[in-house]
Every structure is written in structure tokens, then in C-alpha cells.
Amino acid sequence: MRWNILPKSNSEKTQELSKALGVDNTIANLLFQRGITTFDEAKYFFRPSLKDLHDPYLMEDMLVAVERIEKAIENKENILVYGDYDVDGTTSVALMSSYLRTYYPNIATYIPDRYEEGYGVSYKGIDFAADNNFSLIIALDCGVKAIDKVAYASEKNIDFIICDHHRPGPELPKAIAVLDPKREDCAYPYKELCGCGVGFKLIQALGARRGQTIDDLLLYLDLVATAIGADIVPITGENRILAYYGLKVINSNPRTGYKAILKQIKKEVLTITDVVFIIGPRINAAGRMKHGNHAVTLLVETDINKAAIWAAEIEQFNLDRREADKRITKEALAQIKTNKEEERKTTVVYQKDWHKGVIGIVASRLTETYYRPTLVFTKSGDKLAASARSVIGFDVYNALQECSEFITQFGGHKYAAGLTLEEKNFENFKNKFEEVVSRTIDPKLLQPELSVTMEIELADITPKFYRILKQFAPFGPGNPSPVFMTQNLSETGYGKCVGEDKTHLRITVKQGMSQYVCIGFGLGDKKAIACSGRPFKAAYVIDENEWQGNVSLQLRLKDIKA
Ligand SMILES: [Mn+2]
């Protein structure tokens, strides 16, 4: 791994900040790296406050959206809450439908089928609305580009309110309201909300007209925090406040569906990372293995006994997903080996019976072994379908565009894309993709990079230091968990490989008077470096380890080098 050590600022300003806050220079530096340079900014960061949430009416079209929903309720219209099958979509639908149902019964939900209808607003969904006498659709986490579909609905006398966070095209759909902070004409001060976040702003606006305050809406923040984590939006500004309070809800009194999920998991306090890796995959598994509706059903259920049944169902989808994911990854790795493709610049694998719902996850996994642009194909109808994943810094969407002569259809963005092609074009495509990537990729991008926040000495890790560090959470894009680096470490002599297949490394590092236990997941092959008797350097995250009720600090190793 390449270590990229972020620059450290030693200006007078960091010293001023460290004095003003009463923290050491390392903490002041960590704040500076995050753009926090004054006492007030530090206060906003360390003490997230619901009072700092923005007025929802600053969002373009908000008032029209609220008035249309109020009119629908007055006229006893049927309202269809529509959203995608992923975590952001299903949590959005659960949020909006459960909020509206607290005072209006004629609400139904609709999640498109991942395989039959695909991503976004579908004609089938609109037909469903028309056939069942719905006259208003609230679309969440999708719709900002659904120009033709909104027009089609309009012909059938169905109005649309769109709550999206994707970048709009040159033209907006002719909906009653298009709520999207990324609209160029939208003055909303924070642009990085997720779909569920935009939905939350709409219920905040609806609530304000009914005399509700933010305290009345806190119970919806468990959903918002989950969507923020799973949709990989920056955890900065308003998102950080929503995630912070959402985690509090999850850890104190979450909705019944969460209680049912968490009952099956032994974990006392969930961090945002836990939410992403424990709750996220379970919600997603419904859409991948069966149908996203199952996730919504669980998220809106208020009866604990019923919720337990839905949660068990979802647990099974997740187990199936995990098994498929493991098996397919193994088969794909074997394919790369058998075909002796280790030296290529791309990974392109295909097997006709791989589950379409997990090929994206498998593509991500394969990049852990062969760090290069990756495509995983399976058979879909009479065509082949693939999920693409890239490496940091390389635009796989552009690369696919250059191969378009062999592709039937493709879409996506810089790091993830999907495509279909004719089976007869597979080999040509595979060769062309390899040719394009080899020609255009900067070779250094093919080595994974580790972003190191700062170099410190082990003696810098004091209880106070760690206590403040914890208050940097919740971590995520825009506010990464700090990775530290320390040089001149020695190992105390009991280092060993641990875990079922001995792939993890457990060592104790020492520098001067300080020593810490370290765990390095997947770093078993670095034992020789650590235990050579010569000094080495390590990059790590500081972590808490709880064992038999005792909490101690440990270092979670990211990498070590001689
Ligand atoms: Mn989204």
C-alpha cells in the first residue's frame, strides 16, 4: 500500500486554536484538516445541536409541496409514497409513509422490483397508481430525471412531488414540486443531504404547519442516520447533526423494526459504521434477494411480535445474500487464477448462474484482492449484465464509454456502473476494456492508497486525547476516522497470527515507555516485518477493546512497513 501522509499545519493559527480550546496541537491539527479553524466552528462540530438544522422552507418548491399534500388530505385523495429498493429509498419511504399515516390513512407505498423495473420511477409504478385511484405520488431518492415518466403520469391525472438528491439534468420534470438541494436554483444552504434527508426536510415543513417542533420528529432520525451512512454522503454540516441525533435514537429508543433487527445482534452501542455494516446490508438484502417491500414492511411495523417475524425473514435474506456473495467471490477468484489473468490491468469475470443481486458486492470484493477496475458479469434474460467497480482516481464510466461499440446499454458514475451486452460481444468487450484501461490508467492508481492523517508518538495517546478523539465521531466521508502513523516501533516478542485461518495479526508494540496491543485484520502476512527484531512503522486507528467488561485502548493496524 502507498501511504499518503496528509500535510500538517503548524501555523500560529493552529496554536491559537489549541490554546482557545485547551487541546493539544495534534487535536488542533486534526480540526484544521477538517476545515475547523475557529472556536465557534469547533463548538458547532463538537456540540451538534438540532437548533442548527436549516429551515426546510429554504428549499426551492417546499411550500408548493406542502400545500399540495395538504390539499390532497383535505380532498381525501389517495397518496402513493414511492422510493427505490436500496437503503436510502426504503428508509425514505418508511419515513414519509409512517409520518403521513399519523394523521391521514389513505397512504400506500410502492417500491419497484430491482429486476423487473430497475432503478427509479417506473411506468409500471405509475400504472399501478392509475389503476388504484392514486392522484398524488411522492417520489423519494429518485425522480429528478424522470421527465417522460412524470409527463406520462400527468396524462393520467397523477401529480408528482419529487424528493431527490441526485444531480438534475438540464431540464427538470414537470412535477408539482421538485425538492432537490442540488438544483442550481435552490438556495438551500446544505447540498449533501441524502434522499431520506430531503424526505425529512419535507416532514419538518409539514410538521411546522401543524405546530410540531423538531422534538416531535426525533423518532424519524434513526432512519435518516441509517440512510446517511449507507448512501455514503458526507458526514458534515446538517448531515452530521442528523447522524449524531439519529445514532442517539438508534441506541436509546429506535423504532420497533430496528429493535427486532438488533435483538439478533450482540452489540451494545452502535456507531455509524455498525449501522452501515449491520443494519444497511439487512435492509438491502430484501431488495437483492426478494423485494424491497419487505424492508419497508419491517421499518414501519409497530407490533414487536410481527416485527420479529419480518426481521427473521430479512435475516434469512441476508444469510442467503452472504452465502451467494462468498461462493461467487470464491468462484470468480478461481476463474482469474485458472485463466492466468493475474497480470492484467482489469478484472472481468463471467458465469451465467451468478446471482444478479450480488454481483456488485462481488466486484467490490474482488478489488480487495486485485486492486484494479473490475466487472462481474452474469446472464440476464438473453443478454449479459455486469456491475463495474473502480479504484480510487480512475473513472470507469469514461472507460466503458470508450468500449461502447460492444455494449448494449450502460449507466452509472465514476466509481460504479452497470451495463448489459450481447453474449457474442463478451470476448471483444473484455479485450477492449483491458486495452482502454491499460492505455489510460496512471499505474500508481493500481496500488491501493492509505491516507494517513498524521504522525504521532505512542506517548501522545493519552486518555484525554482519546476522549476528545471520540467526539470527532460520527465518522464518514468528509470527516474520516483519523489514521495515525508512528515510526520506530518494536514488538515485545509475543506477536502471532490469529483467527480461524491465521490471516490476522496480533502484536504488542512498544515505543519508549508506551506500549499497546494491536490487531491487524488480514495482516497475517506482515508478521515477519513486525517480529524481525528490527524497528518498523505502523499506520493505525485507535480503538477501544472490550473484554470481560474491561475497556482498554488498542490499535487497529491498517498496514506496517519496515
Ligand atoms: Mn440516495
Side-chain angles (χ1 to χ4, degrees), residues 86-89 92 119 141-142 164-166 193-196 227 231 233:
D86 67 359
V87 176
D88 196 13
S92 303
Y119 173 83
D141 190 33
C142 61
D164 204 350
H165 69 121
H166 296 97
L193 294 172
C194 59
C196 191
D231 230 41
V233 290

Side-chain angles (χ1 to χ4, degrees), residues 11 22 52 70-71 84 119 153 195 210 306 345 382 462 471 481 487:
S11 66
D52 291 327
E70 286 173 347
K71 189 182 119 197
D84 253 310
Y119 173 83
R210 308 177 66 245
K306 280 190 196 153
K345 301 280 187 284
D382 56 355
T462 62
Q471 296 178 41
S481 176
Q487 310 207 49

